[in-house]
C-alpha cells in the first residue's frame, strides 16, 4: 500500500515538472546575446596584442572582423526586442499538457506494470524447505534441550542430537559449535568429522573452507568409503579450480554406489553440472538434506519449478522467475508448453543429443512415463549410428528407471 | 520495495525524457518561451528520478538484496563494502544505469547553469540531449533491466568477477563514462546549431569547457585503465591495442582535436563547420566505445554479457544517432557562415595541422579496430590486427605531430613567423640534441630508435617551457618580475604549457619503458635468489592468507640492492571459491623513484618450485604520471575565468572579467 502511495507521489512530481513552467506567466526568459561575446573577443585581441600573440596589423584586421559581427549582432538584438513578443504556440502547449496529465501517468503505469513486480514477495529457499517439515513447537523443545545441555555440557550425545535440528532451523553457527563439542566429547570417527565439516560448509555459504577440507581429509583417512567426505573433497576441488580431481572423485563415487542409494542423484547432478560456471549449491548428501531435497539441486515433481531445475541448460532466469510467480496450474501449462516446443524441435531435427536428454528427463519429471519411453525410442532411432550418444541415452533411461 | 521504487523512477525518467525531446524543440521553432522553459524543469526532474533509481540499486547492493537478479549475479554478501558499491557498475545493467545517470546530470547542469545561453539554443540542446537519453532509458528497460527480480530468494550471490574486485573499478569506469558522456554535450550543441541553421558566438564558449571537462575525465579514465591492466593482468604490459582500449582511445584522439579546433572557433570564429563535424564524430566514437563492447561483436576482459536482442538494439541506436546526425550535417552545414581569415603560417594553421594528424591517427585506429570485424562479418575470415600494425601506422603519424607541438603556441594568430619561432626554439632543439647524443653515447646502436625518441621527448618538454620562460621573463632573474608576470598570465596559457609538457613526459616514459625494460622468467624454490638489473630477490617461502571472499597464496620475497634490504614483495594468487575456483594474479610492485620492479606468480611445479615473471621497468611510471599531469593542465585551462563567459556560472550577472 505504501508502495502505491509513493508511486502516486512520484507521478505527481513528474507531472508537476511539466505543468509548472506552462502555468508560469513569465514573458521574459533570461538569455545571453552574442553582443557580450563579441565585446569580450575585442578585449581579448587587445590582450593578445600586448602579449605579442598577434601582430599589430593582424590585430587591427581582426578588430574590424569582430566589430562587423558585433554591429550585426547588436542590430538583430534590437530588431528582436522591437518585434512583438512571440505568441504562445497554443496547440503545442495543449499537446504537451495532455501528454503530461494523461499520457505520462498512463504510459508509465503500463510500462511499469508490464516490467516490474510490485506485488513481489520473495520466497526464501531455506524457509520453504524447513518450515513445512519441522513440527510445531520445535523452538521450545530446542530451548529445553539447550537448557539441559547448559547444565550437562559433557553430554556428547545431546549435542549430536541437537546439531541437525540447528541446521534445519538455519542456525548454522550453532550447529558448528554443537558438532564441535560432540566431536570433542565422543571422539573422532569418520561420520562426526564429516558432520562437523558439513556444518562449517553450510555456515560459510557453501564454500569448503580450509578447516572443513582438513576435516573431510581426516574423515576420508579414517574411512576411505565415506561418501560425504568424498563428495565434499570433490566440491572443494571444484571450488579451487581443480576440475579434473572433482570429476575423478565424483565418478568414483557413482561407480561404487549401490543401486538406488539416496544420495546418488545428487552426485550425478553435481557431475552433470561440473562445467557450469554457476556455483554448486552445497546441498550435502547427509540425512537432513536427502530428506528435504533442496529446490536448487534435484527435485522430484512437486517442489517448485521442477522441470526447469533438473534440465541443465534450461530456460533463463527470468522464465524461471516467471514460472515461480504463476499459479500452479498456469505454471504447469508454461512448463508443458516449453516441453512441447522442445518435442517439436526434436521431431524436426533429431541430431541434438542434449535436446533429447532434456526432453526425456522433462517427461519423466512431469510424470509422463509413456511419453518419456517413446521419446527415448525416437531418440535412439534419430541418433542411430553414434554409439557415444546412444550410450548417453541408455544411461539416462536407466537412471530415470525407464528400463531395466 | 526499494528496487521497485527505483524501477518506477526509471520509467518516469523515460516518460519525462520523451516529453522533453519534443516540446522544447517545438517551443524553439514557434518562439513559445514557456515550452522552451519546460526543458529546464524536466531536465532537473529527469536527473532526480535517475538518481533515485541509481540510489535504489546501490541500496540493493549494499544490503545484498539477492531478490534482485542483477545483485544476485554480481555480488556476494561477504564482499568488502567498497566492492559492494563498485559492483553496482561492475556489470552491464548497472553500468548502463551509471551511463544515463551521468547523461542526466549533464542535462541538469545545462538547465541549471545555462542562464545566459540564447533561449532557443538551450531548448534545442536539451531536446537533443533528451533524444539520446530516451533511447538509453528504453534500452535499459527493455533489454538490460537492472531491477529484474528473482522469484526465489537465493541464499548467496554469485560474486563479482574477481578481476573486477579491485580499486581500479571504483575509478576507471566512472571516469571513462564521464568522458564519454561529457562529449554528448558537444554533440547536443552541434546538432542544436545544425537545427537552428546558425551558430551563435556563444557556441564555442559553451562547448569548450564541456569538452575540456570530458577530455580531462577521459584522459584520467584511460590512464587508470591502463595502469589497472598493467598490475592486474600480470604480464607487465600497459597498452595492448585491444579493441576495447582502442575504443576509448578513438574518442580521446577526436576529443583532443575538438578541444584544439574549438579554441580557433572561440577566438577567431573560424573552422566552424569542421568543429561541428568533430563534435558529432567524437560523440559517435564515444557511443561506439561504450557499445562495441556490448553488442557481442567483441570479446575481451571488458565484455560483460552478450545477447542478440541487445546487440540489435545497440546497432539500431548507433545507426540512428550517428547516421542521423551526419545526414543532418550534410544537409545543414553548407548554410553555416564562415568566419575569420588566416594565413597559411599562423596559429590557426598550426591547429588545423594538429587536427589533421589527430584525425588521421584516429582513423588509423578505427580501421585497425573495425576492419577485422567487418572482414569476419562479410567473408568469415579471421584476421588479427595487432600491435605491429598500430606501431607502424600510429607511430609515424604521431612523430610529425609531436615535432609540431612546440611550434603551435609560439605562432601568432592570423599570420605567424615560422622562422622567428624556429629561432626561439633553438634552446629546446639543443636540449633535444643533448638528450639524443647522451643516449646514443651510452647505448650505441643497440636500440636505434630510442635516442630519437628521447630527443623528441626532450624537445616537446623544452619547447613547452620555452614559451613560458619568455612570457614570465625568467631570464630577468628578478623574483618579483617573474612572480608578477606568472600571476598575470591567463590560466589557459599555463594549461597549454603543462599539458604539452606532460605529453613529453608520457613519451619519455613510453620510450624508456619499452626500450630498457628487462625481464626474467624463472622457477624458484624457497631460499633461492634471483637477480635482475642490480636487484636481488630472495624467495623466503609461501604464505597462505584468508581473505573475506577469497583464499590467497602469496610468495614472500625480500628485495636487496648491494646487500641492503630495500623492501619486500608479495605477489600472490587469489582463488575465489564462490566463483568455482576462478583465480586472479596479484602482481607485486616495488617503486623506486619512477621505475618499478614487477613480480608476478606463475604456476607451481611438482618439484616444489614456483614459476615467476620478474620485470624491471625503468621510468615506467612516467607514462601515467604524464597522463595525470596532462589532465591537470586541462583542469588549469578549465579554471580560466575568461572561458566561463556564457559558460557554467550560477548568477545571471554577466561581466566580462579581464584576467590580466
Amino acid at each position: 500500500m505504501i508502495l502505491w502511495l509513493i508511486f502516486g507521489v512520484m507521478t505527481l512530481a513528474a507531472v508537476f515538472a511539466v505543468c509548472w513552467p506552462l502555468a508560469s506567466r513569465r514573458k521574459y526568459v533570461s538569455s545571453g546575446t552574442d553582443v557580450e561575446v563579441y565585446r569580450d573577443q575585442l578585449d581579448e585581441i587587445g590582450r593578445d596584442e600586448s602579449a605579442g600573440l598577434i601582430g599589430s596589423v593582424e590585430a587591427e584586421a581582426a578588430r574590424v572582423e569582430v566589430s562587423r559581427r558585433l554591429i550585426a549582432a547588436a542590430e538583430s538584438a534590437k530588431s528582436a526586442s522591437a518585434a512583438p513578443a512571440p505568441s504562445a504556440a497554443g496547440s503545442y502547449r495543449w499537446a504537451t499538457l495532455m501528454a503530461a496529465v494523461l499520457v505520462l501517468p498512463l504510459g508509465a503505469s503500463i510500462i511499469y506494470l508490464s516490467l516490474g513486480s510490485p506485488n513481489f514477495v520473495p520466497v526464501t529457499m531455506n524457509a520453504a524447505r524447513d518450515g513445512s517439515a519441522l513440527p510445531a513447537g520445535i523452538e521450545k523443545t530446542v530451548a529445553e534441550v539447550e537448557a539441559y545441555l547448559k547444565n550437562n555440557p559433557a553430554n556428547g550425545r545431546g549435542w549430536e542430537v541437537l546439531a541437525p535440528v540447528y541446521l534445519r532451523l538455519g542456525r548454522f553457527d550453532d550447529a558448528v559449535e554443537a558438532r564441535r563439542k560432540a566431536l570433542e566429547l565422543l571422539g573422532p570417527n569418520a561420520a562426526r568429522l564429516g558432520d562437523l565439516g558439513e556444518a562449517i560448509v553450510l555456515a560459510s555459504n557453501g564454500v569448503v573452507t580450509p578447516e572443513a577440507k582438513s576435516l573431510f581429509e581426516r574423515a576420508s583417512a579414517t574411512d576411505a568409503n565415506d561418501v560425504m567426505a568424498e563428495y565434499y573433497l570433490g566440491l572443494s576441488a571444484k571450488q579451487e579450480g581443480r576440475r579434473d580431481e572433482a570429476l575423478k572423485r565424483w565418478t568414483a563415487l557413482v561407480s561404487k554406489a549401490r543401486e538406488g542409494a539416496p544420495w546418488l542423484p545428487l552426485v550425478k547432478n553435481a557431475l552433470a553440472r561440473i562445467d557450469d560456471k554457476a556455483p554448486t549449491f552445497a546441498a550435502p548428501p547427509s540425512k537432513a538434506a536427502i530428506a528435504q531435497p533442496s529446490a536448487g539441486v534435484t527435485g522430484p515433481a512437486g517442489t517448485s519449478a521442477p522441470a526447469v531445475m533438473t534440465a541443465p541448460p534450461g530456460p533463463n532466469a527470468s522464465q524461471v522467475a516467471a514460472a515461480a510467480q504463476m499459479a500452479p496450474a498456469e505454471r504447469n501449462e508454461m512448463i508443458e508448453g516449453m516441453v512441447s516446443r522442445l518435442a517439436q524441435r526434436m521431431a524436426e531435427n533429431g541430431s541434438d543429443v542434449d535436446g533429447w536428454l532434456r526432453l526425456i528427463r522433462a517427461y519423466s519429471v512431469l510424470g509422463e512415463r509413456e511419453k518419456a519411453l517413446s521419446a527415448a525410442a525416437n531418440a535412439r532411432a534419430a541418433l542411430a549410428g553414434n554409439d557415444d550418444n546412444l550410450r548417453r541415452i541408455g544411461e539416462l533411461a536407466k537412471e530415470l528407471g525407464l528400463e531395466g | 520495495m526499494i528496487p521497485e521504487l527505483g524501477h518506477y523512477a526509471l520509467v518516469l525518467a523515460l516518460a519525462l525524457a520523451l516529453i522533453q525531446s519534443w516540446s522544447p524543440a517545438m517551443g524553439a521553432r514557434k518562439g513559445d518561451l514557456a515550452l522552451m522553459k519546460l526543458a529546464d524543469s524536466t531536465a532537473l526532474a529527469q536527473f532526480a528520478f535517475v538518481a533515485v533509481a541509481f540510489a535504489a540499486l546501490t541500496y540493493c547492493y549494499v544490503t545484498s538484496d539477492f531478490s534482485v537478479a542483477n545483485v544476485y549475479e554480481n555480488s556476494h554478501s561477504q564482499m568488502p563494502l567498497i566492492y559492494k558499491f563498485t559492483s553496482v557498475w561492475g556489470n552491464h545493467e548497472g553500468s548502463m544505469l551509471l551511463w544515463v545517470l551521468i547523461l542526466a546530470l549533464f542535462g541538469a547542469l545545462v538547465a541549471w547553469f545555462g542562464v545566459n545561453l540564447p533561449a532557443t539554443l538551450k531548448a534545442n540542446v536539451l531536446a537533443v540531449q533528451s533524444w539520446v537519453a530516451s533511447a538509453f532509458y528504453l534500452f535499459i528497460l527493455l533489454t538490460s533491466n537492472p531491477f529484474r527480480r528473482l522469484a526465489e530468494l537465493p541464499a548467496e550471490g554469485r560474486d563479482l568477477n574477481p578481476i573486477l574486485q579491485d580499486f581500479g573499478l571504483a575509478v576507471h569506469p566512472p571516469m571513462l563514462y564521464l568522458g564519454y558522456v561529457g562529449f554528448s554535450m558537444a554533440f547536443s550543441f552541434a546538432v542544436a546549431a545544425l537545427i537552428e541553421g546558425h551558430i551563435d558566438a556563444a557556441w564555442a564558449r559553451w562547448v569548450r569547457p564541456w569538452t575540456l571537462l570530458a577530455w580531462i575525465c577521459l584522459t584520467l579514465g584511460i590512464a587508470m585503465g591502463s595502469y589497472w591492466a598493467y598490475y592486474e593482468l600480470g604480464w607487465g604490459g600497459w597498452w595492448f591495442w585491444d579493441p576495447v582500449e582502442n575504443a576509448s582511445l578513438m574518442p580521446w584522439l577526436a576529443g583532443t582535436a575538438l578541444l584544439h579546433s574549438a579554441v580557433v572557433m572561440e577566438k577567431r570564429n573560424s573552422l566552424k563547420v569542421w568543429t561541428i563535424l568533430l563534435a558529432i564524430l567524437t560523440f559517435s566514437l564515444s557511443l561506439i566505445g561504450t557499445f562495441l563492447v556490448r553488442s557481442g561483436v567483441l570479446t575481451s576482459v571488458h565484455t560483460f554479457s552478450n545477447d542478440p536482442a541487445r546487440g540489435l538494439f545497440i546497432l539500431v541506436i548507433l545507426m540512428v544517432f550517428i547516421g542521423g546526425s551526419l545526414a543532418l550535417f550534410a544537409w545543414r552545414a553548407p548554410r553555416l557562415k564562415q568566419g575569420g581569415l588566416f594565413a597559411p603560417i599562423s596559429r590557426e594553421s598550426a591547429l588545423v595541422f594538429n587536427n589533421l594528424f589527430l584525425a588521421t591517427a584516429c582513423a588509423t585506429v578505427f580501421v585497425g579496430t573495425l576492419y577485422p570485424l567487418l572482414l569476419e562479418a562479410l567473408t568469415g575470415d579471421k584476421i588479427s590486427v595487432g600491435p605491429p600494425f598500430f606501431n607502424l601506422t600510429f607511430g609515424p603519424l604521431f612523430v610529425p605531430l609531436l615535432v609540431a607541438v612546440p611550434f603551435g603556441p609560439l605562432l601568432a594568430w592570423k599570420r605567424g613567423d615560422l622562422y622567428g619561432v624556429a629561432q626561439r626554439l633553438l634552446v629546446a632543439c639543443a636540449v633535444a640534441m643533448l638528450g639524443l647524443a647522451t643516449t646514443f653515447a651510452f647505448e650505441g646502436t643497440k636500440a636505434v630508435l630510442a635516442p630519437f625518441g628521447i630527443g623528441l621527448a626532450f624537445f616537446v618538454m623544452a619547447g613547452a617551457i620555452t614559451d613560458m620562460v619568455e612570457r614570465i621573463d625568467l631570464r630577468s632573474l628578478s623574483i618579483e618580475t617573474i612572480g608578477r608576470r606568472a600571476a598575470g598570465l591567463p590560466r589557459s596559457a599555463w594549461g597549454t604549457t603543462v599539458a604539452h609538457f606532460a605529453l613529453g613526459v608520457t613519451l619519455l616514459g613510453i620510450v624508456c619503458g619499452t626500450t630498457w625494460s628487462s625481464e626474467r622468467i624463472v622457477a624458484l624454490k624457497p631460499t633461492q635468489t634471483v637477480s635482475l638489473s642490480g636487484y636481488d630477490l630472495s624467495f623466503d617461502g609461501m604464505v597462505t592468507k584468508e581473505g573475506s571472499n577469497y583464499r590467497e597464496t602469496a610468495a614472500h620475497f625480500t628485495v636487496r640492492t648491494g646487500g641492503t634490504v630495500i623492501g619486500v614483495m608479495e605477489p600472490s594468487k587469489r582463488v575465489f571459491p564462490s566463483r568455482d575456483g576462478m583465480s586472479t594474479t596479484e602482481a607485486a610492485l616495488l617503486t623506486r623513484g619512477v621505475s618499478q620492479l614487477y613480480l608476478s606468480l606463475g604456476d607451481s611445479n611438482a618439484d616444489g618450485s614456483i614459476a615467476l615473471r620478474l620485470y624491471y621497468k625503468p621510468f615506467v611510471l612516467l607514462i601515467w604520471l604524464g597522463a595525470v599531469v596532462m589532465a591537470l593542465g586541462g583542469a588549469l585551462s578549465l579554471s580560466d575565468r575568461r572561458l566561463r563567459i556564457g559558460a557554467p556560472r550560477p548568477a545571471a550577472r554577466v561581466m566580462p572579467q579581464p584576467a590580466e
Side-chain angles (χ1 to χ4, degrees), chain B residues 381-393:
Chain B
D381 295 342
K382 269 186 192 291
I383 61 159
S384 115
V385 174
F389 167 81
F390 293 104
N391 292 344
L392 276 176
T393 52

Side-chain angles (χ1 to χ4, degrees), chain A residues 238 268-276 278-281 296-297 309 312:
Chain A
K238 185 185 178 214
K268 281 192 175 164
N269 198 289
L271 262 178
R273 293 165 46 126
I274 197 160
D275 287 322
D276 272 13
T280 323
F281 282 90
V297 179
M309 282 311 198

Side-chain angles (χ1 to χ4, degrees), chain B residues 123-399:
Chain B
N124 277 325
V125 165
L126 285 172
V128 175
Q129 187 86 355
S130 236
W131 299 347
V132 182
S134 307
F136 285 106
Y137 294 138
L138 267 179
F139 174 68
I140 293 179
L141 285 169
L142 296 182
T143 72
S144 326
N145 199 320
F147 295 109
R148 201 162 47 76
R149 308 294 288 270
L150 287 177
E152 289 190 31
L153 192 63
E156 189 47 85
R158 289 172 53 177
D159 212 345
L160 179 65
N161 185 343
I163 292 182
L164 301 180
Q165 295 196 18
D166 186 276
F167 182 70
L169 184 66
V171 186
H172 171 57
M175 276 308 200
L176 216 53
Y177 282 10
L178 273 170
Y180 285 160
V181 181
F183 286 130
S184 77
M185 291 311 307
F187 174 82
S188 297
F189 271 87
V191 173
L194 289 174
I195 290 173
E196 294 199 339
H198 68 270
I199 307 177
D200 298 292
W203 195 93
R205 304 237 146 187
W206 257 86
V207 169
R208 176 104 192 284
W210 289 111
T211 312
L212 204 47
L213 183 65
W215 180 87
I216 293 169
C217 295
L218 194 58
T219 307
L220 289 175
I222 293 176
M224 183 68 222
S226 155
Y227 189 64
W228 188 11
Y230 166 76
Y231 73 71
E232 182 74 31
L233 295 183
W235 34 293
W238 47 269
W239 192 262
F240 305 95
W241 293 109
D242 171 277
V244 177
E245 283 175 326
N246 294 348
S248 68
L249 183 65
M250 288 187 281
W252 187 84
L253 291 169
T256 312
L258 175 61
L259 206 61
H260 288 92
S261 78
V263 176
V264 182
M265 187 158 162
E266 182 192 344
K267 284 241 198 184
R268 292 275 81 88
N269 271 47
S270 306
L271 300 186
K272 281 182 186 174
V273 177
W274 169 244
T275 308
I276 296 253
L277 181 63
L278 263 184
I280 291 175
L281 287 181
T282 306
F283 184 59
S284 302
L285 289 168
S286 297
L287 281 180
I288 292 177
T290 325
F291 297 108
L292 205 58
V293 201
R294 295 150 207 277
S295 60
V297 277
L298 289 184
T299 358
S300 82
V301 201
H302 298 73
T303 315
F304 290 130
S305 57
N306 296 323
D307 171 359
R310 218 175 255 171
L312 192 67
F313 207 120
I314 285 170
L315 283 181
V316 171
I317 291 184
L318 289 181
M319 271 180 344
V320 168
F321 281 101
I322 301 177
S325 55
L326 286 178
L328 187 68
F329 176 79
W331 176 40
R332 301 287 264 195
R335 296 174 52 164
L336 301 174
K337 268 186 261 169
Q338 275 303 334
L341 307 167
F342 54 87
I345 303 286
S346 62
R347 177 83 70 93
E348 288 94 325
S349 300
L351 288 162
V352 170
F353 181 89
N354 145 306
N355 268 235
L356 281 179
F357 275 88
L358 280 173
T360 316
C362 182
T364 318
V365 180
F366 188 80
V367 170
T369 312
L370 291 188
Y371 177 69
L373 298 176
L374 207 64
L375 193 70
E376 197 187 331
L378 293 180
T379 66
D381 295 342
K382 269 186 192 291
I383 61 159
S384 115
V385 174
F389 167 81
F390 293 104
N391 292 344
L392 276 176
T393 52
F394 194 76
L397 272 173
F398 245 69
V399 170

Side-chain angles (χ1 to χ4, degrees), chain A residues 364-387:
Chain A
S364 163
V365 169
L366 288 171
E368 304 196 51
R369 193 184 152 79
E370 291 304 310
K371 284 190 179 172
L373 279 171
S374 72
N378 289 341
R380 288 206 168 95
L383 297 168
N386 186 329
D387 291 340

Side-chain angles (χ1 to χ4, degrees), chain A residues 108-132:
Chain A
S109 321
I110 292 171
I111 296 178
Y112 173 72
L113 288 177
S114 62
L115 295 174
S117 356
N119 298 316
F120 176 82
V121 182
V123 185
T124 313
M125 282 182 182
N126 292 334
R129 191 159 83 206
D130 299 333
S132 58

Side-chain angles (χ1 to χ4, degrees), chain A residues 11 17-18 27 30 32 40-41 44 48 53 58 65 86 89 93 96 112 120 123 205 208 239-240 304, chain B residues 4 8 23 32-34 38 41 115-116 149-150 152-153 156 205 266-267 412-415 551 581 642:
Chain A
T11 316
V18 182
K27 283 272 186 287
S30 66
D40 190 65
Q41 279 186 352
E44 187 141 0
D48 281 352
L53 285 178
E58 284 77 22
E65 270 172 23
R93 277 199 188 190
T96 306
Y112 173 72
F120 176 82
V123 185
N205 292 312
V208 185
Q239 289 181 349
E240 284 166 15
S304 50
Chain B
E4 295 307 315
Y8 189 60
S23 296
D32 185 329
L33 285 177
L38 179 103
S41 67
V115 274
N116 42 21
R149 308 294 288 270
L150 287 177
E152 289 190 31
L153 192 63
E156 189 47 85
R205 304 237 146 187
E266 182 192 344
K267 284 241 198 184
W413 291 99
K414 274 181 101 71
R415 182 191 303 275
R551 222 170 285 157
R642 289 174 309 146

Side-chain angles (χ1 to χ4, degrees), chain A residues 26-46:
Chain A
R26 263 200 298 172
K27 283 272 186 287
Y28 170 76
V29 179
S30 66
S31 81
T33 61
D34 289 353
V35 177
E36 290 150 12
V37 179
Y38 290 132
R39 284 223 179 92
D40 190 65
Q41 279 186 352
L42 280 179
D43 291 347
E44 187 141 0
I45 292 171

Side-chain angles (χ1 to χ4, degrees), chain B residues 263-603:
Chain B
V263 176
V264 182
M265 187 158 162
E266 182 192 344
K267 284 241 198 184
R268 292 275 81 88
N269 271 47
S270 306
L271 300 186
K272 281 182 186 174
V273 177
W274 169 244
T275 308
I276 296 253
L277 181 63
L278 263 184
I280 291 175
L281 287 181
T282 306
F283 184 59
S284 302
L285 289 168
S286 297
L287 281 180
I288 292 177
T290 325
F291 297 108
L292 205 58
V293 201
R294 295 150 207 277
S295 60
V297 277
L298 289 184
T299 358
S300 82
V301 201
H302 298 73
T303 315
F304 290 130
S305 57
N306 296 323
D307 171 359
R310 218 175 255 171
L312 192 67
F313 207 120
I314 285 170
L315 283 181
V316 171
I317 291 184
L318 289 181
M319 271 180 344
V320 168
F321 281 101
I322 301 177
S325 55
L326 286 178
L328 187 68
F329 176 79
W331 176 40
R332 301 287 264 195
R335 296 174 52 164
L336 301 174
K337 268 186 261 169
Q338 275 303 334
L341 307 167
F342 54 87
I345 303 286
S346 62
R347 177 83 70 93
E348 288 94 325
S349 300
L351 288 162
V352 170
F353 181 89
N354 145 306
N355 268 235
L356 281 179
F357 275 88
L358 280 173
T360 316
C362 182
T364 318
V365 180
F366 188 80
V367 170
T369 312
L370 291 188
Y371 177 69
L373 298 176
L374 207 64
L375 193 70
E376 197 187 331
L378 293 180
T379 66
D381 295 342
K382 269 186 192 291
I383 61 159
S384 115
V385 174
F389 167 81
F390 293 104
N391 292 344
L392 276 176
T393 52
F394 194 76
L397 272 173
F398 245 69
V399 170
L401 185 60
L402 288 169
V403 171
V405 162
F407 285 88
L410 293 180
L411 280 167
W413 291 99
K414 274 181 101 71
R415 182 191 303 275
D417 174 9
L418 194 58
Y419 182 66
V421 172
Q423 275 183 326
R424 286 160 71 194
L425 281 174
L426 271 181
V427 180
C429 239
V431 172
M433 283 302 170
L434 196 68
L436 194 155
T438 316
T439 323
F440 199 71
F442 276 97
E443 284 298 308
T445 48
K446 258 186 283 172
V448 185
L449 289 175
F452 293 97
I454 289 191
L456 185 57
F458 277 131
F459 180 61
V460 172
M461 289 192 280
I465 303 175
T466 302
D467 187 33
M468 265 309 139
V469 168
E470 289 176 5
R471 287 174 77 175
I472 62 176
D473 203 3
L474 196 66
R475 272 173 290 188
S476 72
L477 290 178
S478 131
I479 290 172
E480 193 201 349
T481 322
I482 294 173
R484 186 169 44 77
R485 289 211 170 201
L489 279 183
R491 288 206 204 131
S492 59
W494 281 107
T496 308
T497 303
V498 171
H500 284 181
F501 183 81
L503 193 64
V505 173
T506 299
L507 180 65
L508 192 64
I510 293 173
V511 173
C512 295
T514 43
T515 313
W516 291 291
S517 161
S518 45
E519 173 183 353
R520 283 195 71 174
I521 299 176
V522 285
L524 276 195
K525 286 183 183 166
T527 72
Q528 285 183 326
T529 300
V530 59
S531 306
L532 182 72
S533 303
Y535 294 95
D536 306 311
L537 287 83
S538 49
F539 182 18
D540 304 321
M542 302 297 287
V543 199
T544 318
K545 290 179 195 164
E546 198 68 19
S548 55
N549 55 342
Y550 58 84
R551 222 170 285 157
E552 189 172 55
T553 330
H556 191 277
F557 282 84
T558 310
V559 186
R560 290 183 183 83
T561 175
T564 32
V565 176
I566 55 166
V568 292
M569 291 177 89
E570 271 194 3
S572 66
K573 281 210 160 185
R574 289 181 182 167
V575 178
F576 291 75
S578 54
R579 279 264 168 171
D580 271 339
M582 203 170 154
S583 65
T584 60
T585 328
E586 304 290 320
L589 299 172
L590 185 76
T591 307
R592 304 278 293 161
V594 289
S595 309
Q596 277 189 329
L597 267 178
Y598 184 110
L599 185 59
S600 139
L601 276 190
D603 297 323

